[in-house]
Amino acid sequence: MKKFLIVGLGNIGSTYDDTRHNIGFKTIDELASKEAIHFESEKLGSIATFRFKGRTFILLKPSTFMNLSGKSVKYWLTKEKIPIENLLVICDDLNLTFGTIRLKAKGSDGGHNGLKDINTVLQTQQYARFRFGVGSEFSKGRQSDFVLGKWDEEESKLLPERLEVACKLIKSFGTAGLNNTMNTFNGT
């Protein structure tokens, strides 16, 4: 049975709940809810697993904080014997307008410290990443406050529909493959 590691990046603790930077956690929390599964605290993260169309999806929320996510990702890839091409990392992206979805097969960290750490620990940039646009409506020098800020009222209204699309993208990644999923979902 094919296994996929789906990593939602975020920071642990209630302080970070519903912040833009935690969209990775929020996305896989939504998927876990739809699949009626629950996260269990495990080594270096919280894990939830479900099966869909003959595939096993392992959802991971690293407990190492965003900027040290690589250790958790590497541990679970190794433990579950999952090849790097079956890894999908979900993160926020300031360079995309709110709700924009972009799936890429590889790439640089784009200034994202969570991706930077994963790239360093895995010693590669050759893994799929799902960038969720959070916009860039902040004053110069206020980037950190913006990403660690809560969703505004308008974003909160639109978020459920965007999360619905995100959950479909994740399942498609595991069943239809990366290229088909990029063609279907990028720009939606």
Side-chain angles (χ1 to χ4, degrees), residues 64-177:
T64 52
F65 282 97
M66 175 82 73
N67 298 350
L68 298 172
S69 299
K71 184 176 181 180
S72 178
V73 172
K74 183 172 185 174
Y75 174 82
W76 285 99
L77 281 174
T78 304
K79 182 180 189 310
E80 294 294 331
K81 298 178 179 73
I82 297 173
I84 195 109
E85 60 268 17
N86 290 359
L87 168 65
L88 177 63
V89 177
I90 306 163
C91 65
D92 59 303
D93 192 319
L94 288 167
N95 297 313
L96 299 173
T97 57
F98 169 80
T100 301
I101 286 173
R102 181 158 305 139
L103 180 62
K104 295 177 74 178
K106 60 184 179 182
S108 72
D109 57 59
H112 193 286
N113 289 329
L115 293 177
K116 187 180 297 182
D117 190 62
I118 293 169
N119 292 351
T120 300
V121 173
L122 297 182
Q123 298 183 335
T124 186
Q125 297 178 4
Q126 306 290 317
Y127 60 90
R129 65 273 323 267
F130 167 7
R131 295 177 178 267
F132 192 108
V134 296
S136 58
E137 290 73 48
F138 55 89
S139 308
K140 187 175 180 176
R142 307 298 294 187
Q143 175 177 333
S144 182
D145 293 337
F146 181 76
V147 295
L148 294 175
K150 307 273 186 195
W151 302 101
D152 69 26
E153 189 177 326
E154 183 65 21
E155 291 167 337
S156 293
K157 277 190 227 169
L158 299 171
L159 204 49
E161 185 273 333
R162 296 285 73 205
L163 289 171
E164 178 78 26
V165 173
C167 291
K168 289 176 183 173
L169 181 152
I170 293 166
K171 287 176 154 182
S172 175
F173 173 74
T175 57

